[in-house]
Amino acid sequence: MDVQPITPILITGGAGYIGSHLTQVLQQAGYLPLVLDNLSSGQKVSVPAHAKFFEGDMGDQTLIQKIYHDYPFPAVIHLAASIQTGESVQHPLMYYQNNVGRTLQLLMALQHLGIKKILFSSSASVYGEPNTNTPFTENCPASPVSPYGHSKWMLEQILQDLNRAQTIQAICLRYFNVAGAHPTFHTQQHATHLIPIILNAIKHKKPVAVFGNDYDTQDGTCIRDYIHVMDLCDAHLLALEFLLQETHPRSLTFNLGTHRGSSVLDIIKTAEIVTHTKIDIQYSARRTGDPRFLVADSTLARTQLNWTPHRSDPWNIIHDVWTYAPCHL
Ligand code: UDP
């Protein structure tokens, strides 16, 4: 009987919110996830039992060489990053050091080992402020307005340069606003983004701060494209398979969003319906670094990767966090 070898895949930031969902999805798909995480925001308890866990920094070249020696992985999924727009405006250096500096160390380690394939978690924040209300395609010019967005765009450009030098074959996945939970994964979710912040406020009977209601949108609040974390994981699996099969070293970028925009007030209203609770809103000043409108045209991911985000209705996303991740709020 033929026994198929299990392909090990390194996942930086694999103990975080997205990483721990993805680790379980990869494991169920037959890969051996090698989770590298410094636990600065992730939790060891979120790493599934059969994954291999390595506590350490994504920039630790000795550790990466050791992991590769024991488990020769053909590809890396690079998720580890600082990810809060508002925090990045206050602490830009921290964002450039964590996101750009440490990734450079990681890339040097990969180059040394001859590993070329990388799935990079980029962000819709590379687009910045739009001139119209048309969803962004991957060809829209990048013009980030926060250090977080800048850090992601710098890394995309570095990966493109490495691709031209034939050192790296990268797929950049531009995440729009990720939320949601899986019924059984029991992963950690910090209240650092809008949906968990709203549900956390409901749970603790606190008001929700809305950052700006004077934007040029229908209700004055910012529009975002919310995507369920499990739809995002599906896209990673498809992109990984695409990357592993791809022999031609080209660099690709895909938007991961739904083409549907929801305002901050839309999300609050939906959360009220899901939780049967009236939410107390406190309008406050605009948050620096927030674009007015970020919605994805994800035609490319749908056609090239055959991806369909079928769980990403905002009601469903909020329902799943409220129902399956309440202990983490
Ligand atoms: N937001 C808000 N109140 C909060 C948190 C976020 O009004 O307590 C708004 C924020 O200004 C942005 C949207 O919600 O317009 C999504 O913000 P989030 O931080 O979740 O994600 P981002 O789009 O910055 O990646």
Side-chain angles (χ1 to χ4, degrees), residues 256-285:
L256 298 183
T258 68
H259 214 290
R260 182 198 301 112
S262 304
S263 72
V264 176
L265 291 182
D266 289 336
I267 294 296
I268 290 177
K269 279 182 211 139
T270 309
E272 289 185 326
I273 295 167
V274 170
T275 62
H276 308 287
T277 309
K278 182 87 191 103
I279 296 172
D280 180 14
I281 295 173
Q282 276 183 358
Y283 290 104
S284 57

Side-chain angles (χ1 to χ4, degrees), residues 85 177 192-194 197 208-211 222 224 226 264 287 290 294:
T85 307
N177 287 64
T192 52
H193 287 81
L194 184 65
I197 284 174
V208 173
V210 172
F211 301 142
C222 287
R224 295 288 181 273
Y226 293 86
V264 176
R287 191 176 67 174
D290 269 345
L294 281 178

Side-chain angles (χ1 to χ4, degrees), residues 214-227:
D214 57 351
Y215 285 95
D216 183 15
T217 61
Q218 216 169 5
D219 63 23
T221 65
C222 287
I223 309 284
R224 295 288 181 273
D225 183 340
Y226 293 86
I227 170 169

